[in-house]
Amino acid sequence: MHEEVIPILNVADAAAAVAWYERLGFGSRWEHRFEPGLPAFVEIARGPVTLFLSEHTGDARPDTLVYLRVRDVDAVAAEFGVRVEEAPWAREIEVRDPDGNRLRIGTPTE
């Protein structure tokens, strides 16, 4: 096992959130509910990058910002129809998931 940090993002509808994150290349690894009908807790991954999506109240604050480094920010920008911005450290975009969580996505310039 390797040590890692996994951000937790609050979502209202885990299934809808997973579908949205699939556009970024994430896929669902597993989902847990204590009982049918109770809030879901889902792990999604894109290669070695992992996020937790939680329907549980209090697990995460709304409007969270996560930074994701990718090899090709232009491809992601095209998928979401947004313009790439130039920063001194990276070419970046920012998108919001259906629950208002912000993802700043960039390809380093060096």
Side-chain angles (χ1 to χ4, degrees):
M1 188 200 113
H2 66 280
E3 295 181 355
E4 61 186 317
V5 173
I6 304 174
I8 301 173
L9 301 175
N10 182 264
V11 299
D13 179 338
V18 168
W20 188 88
Y21 280 91
E22 285 174 347
R23 294 175 64 196
L24 282 172
F26 284 87
S28 180
R29 284 193 177 156
W30 54 262
E31 177 180 318
H32 171 74
R33 293 177 191 265
F34 285 103
E35 291 182 18
L38 289 181
F41 192 91
V42 180
E43 179 178 317
I44 61 173
R46 180 182 196 267
V49 178
T50 301
L51 294 172
F52 287 152
L53 306 176
S54 178
E55 294 178 350
H56 293 267
T57 302
D59 269 1
R61 294 180 170 267
D63 196 38
T64 296
L65 172 63
V66 173
Y67 195 97
L68 175 62
R69 284 189 178 142
V70 298
R71 285 188 179 87
D72 186 3
V73 72
D74 294 294
V76 178
E79 171 66 26
F80 287 90
V82 297
R83 201 177 99 219
V84 176
E85 301 288 334
E86 301 289 336
W89 53 87
R91 302 181 70 246
E92 298 179 328
I93 64 169
E94 187 167 307
V95 294
R96 285 185 180 265
D97 74 9
D99 297 284
N101 296 300
R102 298 178 301 144
L103 284 93
R104 193 167 298 149
I105 303 165
T107 299
T109 53
E110 294 182 16

